């Protein structure tokens, strides 16, 4: 049809029609690319002349109905279904106090370690690294989700099931029985205000005066605010979030719509009569916290996700979302914020825990670790991680020390005694490894084949694994398939290059270790796991704790807290930073590392392991140098019309993110000039060919 049309036209007319078609297509394409949304107001004062600070985030893809996508089918009428109800009252726990955070008295000694799988639900302030990077967190079973306050690594987020440290928190244990389980769907009607939803959910549970609500929540609109600075840095806390203030503690509030989240909220009666709600009102909430219309005090944290949650199954508990076959299907957290007033809930599946008591926190017990050389002085050792003789070419331990749980160390001593009867001895390469060391190693070499991801933790982190080999009576190493820490096929137990002598030596070692219940893995002939290792929690005790503990500061008593001055918090004045300044900062190609220790370069990693693999549950631990902010990334491939702003508390996204992931509250127009030029040349070519064919 087009060929016959152009054949009857003059060359000039053919060229003109081609140009018209190109620009028509270009106009349609630019209109499709342009995404215009209106930013709704939130409770805090906003400068009408300044653009609202929002982010371009990969999970903000426009979708017609989030519940249809994620397994909740909307109905015409609202549904409030009570799936479970009983009179159960559960013991909770309370760590720290708001007054300690507010005054700057919160210190490293006040942070309580916890194994995340031991939590049923919790919220507050926590860290997975150092206390000066602590941020808001929540847990809905199995994992702790938090956003750090370390700007040197883009305030990165974590979903940890290995180990976390809580400085200010309230929660319930994993074996706690919910007093109620609720399914809410607004249907075609209007959504519920968050305060109304939480008050109604608490009313379904036992009347203890304090309730923890945890589960999956679909927000129609949510106003949130992230923590920018850790209150554990010794500085008195303020409520300012003015971007021009370098000492501010909060990011500017943001508003988002159509968001599916994990949420945990604490609801306490405003005029408490019981001991538990009185304690929570005194220690968990700030004194200036306003009551809701129902007279409650509440605080809610929500985790924004970059990967959809599994479909809701009302027949299963809320925590059943974590029972996935593939760890890659785990929900991935983008950020964690406090939910502010004006948020509205469209649908939810939550469990309500009625807190009846607050016993001392006892969900984590620090075990007794012993030095292997003290248990058996005849053991030989060569702890290479304390030297530069490894693939990272620098010491990981300050100096050698072999620590294990006492019961595991005693098993090793018995194995060594049995081998001496055969004229052989054990030689220990490595034993307990602190989680902080695993974090550092994984930042250097993020390879899941040979290094455990820190968000899950390794067997060495549990002080329940050893790397060993055999020596003869004179201390000479027996011939093994490969050298220690050689990560290739030659180190595998099924290596085809293994000689008969090497196979026999591996068999002797394996049989001796198995006599005490130790298991092994195929990829490392030297690695052995103690029986029951999976039940041991992850540890982060220094190898030389007596040298790293510093000055011990006694915990503050309730009397000490009452003596602290009451801080006058300044009013919140919202201001906005200029986009050009932000773009200039975001264009910096290098990511500054918080640890001054020199790190191996990318060439070292590629030399040993090739390209990095994205196996971490949140994002790759090694951040490529091409990682830039969303706005800067879009500007690489097109022209961005002002105003375009990235929400200041948003982590940068990958350059190759799809351009259809655009946020609410942003006006963006992307002119794909290169595409237009290509189509223009193509149209001119066809017009010329038609003219030549006449």
């Amino acid at each position: 049809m087009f060929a016959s049309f152009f054949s009857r036209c003059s060359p000039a007319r053919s060229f003109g029609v081609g140009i018209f078609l190109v620009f028509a297509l270009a106009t349609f394409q630019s209109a499709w690319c342009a995404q215009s949304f209106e930013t709704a107001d939130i409770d805090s004062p906003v400068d009408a002349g300044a653009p609202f600070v929002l982010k371009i985030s990969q999970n903000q893809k426009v979708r017609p109905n989030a519940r249809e996508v994620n397994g909740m089918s909307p109905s015409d009428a609202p549904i409030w279904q009570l799936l479970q109800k009983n009179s159960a009252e559960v013991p909770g726990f309370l760590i720290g106090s708001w007054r300690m955070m507010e005054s700057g008295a919160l210190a490293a000694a006040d942070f309580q370690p916890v194994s995340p799988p031991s939590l049923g639900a919790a919220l507050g302030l926590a860290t997975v690294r150092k206390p000066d990077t602590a941020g808001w967190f929540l847990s809905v079973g199995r994992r702790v989700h938090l956003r750090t306050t370390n700007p040197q690594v883009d305030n990165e987020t974590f979903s940890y099931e290995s180990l976390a440290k809580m400085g200010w928190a309230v929660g319930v244990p994993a074996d706690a029985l919910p007093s109620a389980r609720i399914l809410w769907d607004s249907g075609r009607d209007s959504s519920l205000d968050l305060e109304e939803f939480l008050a109604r959910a608490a009313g379904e549970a036992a009347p203890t005066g304090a309730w923890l609500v945890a589960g999956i929540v679909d927000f129609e609109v949510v106003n949130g605010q992230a923590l920018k600075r850790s209150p554990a840095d010794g500085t008195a806390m303020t409520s300012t979030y003015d971007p021009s203030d370098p000492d501010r503690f909060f990011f500017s509030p943001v508003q988002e719509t159509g968001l599916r989240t994990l949420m945990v909220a604490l609801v306490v009666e405003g005029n408490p009569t019981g001991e538990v709600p009185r304690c929570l009102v005194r220690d968990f909430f700030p004194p200036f916290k306003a009551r809701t219309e129902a007279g409650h005090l509440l605080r809610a944290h929500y985790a924004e996700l970059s990967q959809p949650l599994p479909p809701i199954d009302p027949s299963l508990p809320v925590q059943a979302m974590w029972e996935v076959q593939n760890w890659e299907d785990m929900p991935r957290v983008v950020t964690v914020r406090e939910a502010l007033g004006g948020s509205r809930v469209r649908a939810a599946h939550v469990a309500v825990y009625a807190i009846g008591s607050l016993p001392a926190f006892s969900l984590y017990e620090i075990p007794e670790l012993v030095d292997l050389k003290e248990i058996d002085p005849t053991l030989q050792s060569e702890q290479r991680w304390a030297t530069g003789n490894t693939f990272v070419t620098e010491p990981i331990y300050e100096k050698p020390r072999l620590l294990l749980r006492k019961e595991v160390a005693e098993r090793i001593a018995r194995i060594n005694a049995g081998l001496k009867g055969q004229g052989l001895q054990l030689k220990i390469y490595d034993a307990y490894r602190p989680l902080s060391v695993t974090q550092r190693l994984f930042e250097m070499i993020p390879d899941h084949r040979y290094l455990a991801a820190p968000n899950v933790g390794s067997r060495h982190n549990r002080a329940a694994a050893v790397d060993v080999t055999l020596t003869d009576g004179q201390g000479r190493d027996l011939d093994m398939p490969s050298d220690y820490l050689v990560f290739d096929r030659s180190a595998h137990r099924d290596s085809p290059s293994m000689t008969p002598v090497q196979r026999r030596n591996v068999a002797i070692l394996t049989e001796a270790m198995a006599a005490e219940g130790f298991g092994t893995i195929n990829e490392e002939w030297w690695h052995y796991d103690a029986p029951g290792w999976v039940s041991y929690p992850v540890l982060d005790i220094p190898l030389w704790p007596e040298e790293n503990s510093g000055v011990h500061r006694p915990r503050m008593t309730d009397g000490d807290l009452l003596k602290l001055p009451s801080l006058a918090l300044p009013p919140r004045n919202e201001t906005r930073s200029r986009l050009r300044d932000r773009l200039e900062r975001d264009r910096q190609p290098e990511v500054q590392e918080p640890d001054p220790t020199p790190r191996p370069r990318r060439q070292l990693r590629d030399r040993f392991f090739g390209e990095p693999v994205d196996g971490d549950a949140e994002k790759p631990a090694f951040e490529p140098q091409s990682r830039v902010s969303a706005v800067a990334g879009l500007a690489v491939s097109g022209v961005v019309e002002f105003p375009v702003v990235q929400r200041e508390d948003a982590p940068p996204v990958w350059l190759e993110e799809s351009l259809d992931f655009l946020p609410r509250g942003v006006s963006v127009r992307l002119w794909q000039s290169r595409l237009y030029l290509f189509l223009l040349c193509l149209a001119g070519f066809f017009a010329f060919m038609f003219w030549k064919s006449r």
Side-chain angles (χ1 to χ4, degrees), residues 32-55:
W32 177 79
C33 287
Q35 308 262 348
S36 297
F37 304 97
E38 292 184 0
T39 301
D41 293 333
I42 59 177
D43 296 339
S44 58
V46 178
D47 182 6
F52 199 71
V53 180
L54 290 176
K55 80 169 185 180

Side-chain angles (χ1 to χ4, degrees), residues 25-37 56 62 634 637-641 644 658-663 666-673 675-676:
L25 178 62
T27 302
F28 172 78
Q29 194 266 350
S30 64
W32 177 79
C33 287
Q35 308 262 348
S36 297
F37 304 97
I56 293 180
V62 180
L634 296 178
S637 59
V639 178
V640 181
E641 290 188 351
V644 181
S658 173
L659 294 184
D660 61 355
F661 289 105
L662 293 176
V666 176
S667 297
V668 179
R669 183 172 296 272
L670 303 176
W671 298 95
Q672 304 292 344
S673 55
L675 177 62
Y676 301 161

Side-chain angles (χ1 to χ4, degrees), residues 320-343:
M321 73 179 87
W322 304 115
E323 298 175 4
V324 296
Q325 298 297 324
N326 189 347
W327 63 267
E328 292 183 346
D329 297 332
M330 282 281 189
R332 304 185 182 187
V333 63
V334 173
T335 191
V336 177
R337 302 187 189 90
E338 177 191 1
L340 305 178
S343 303

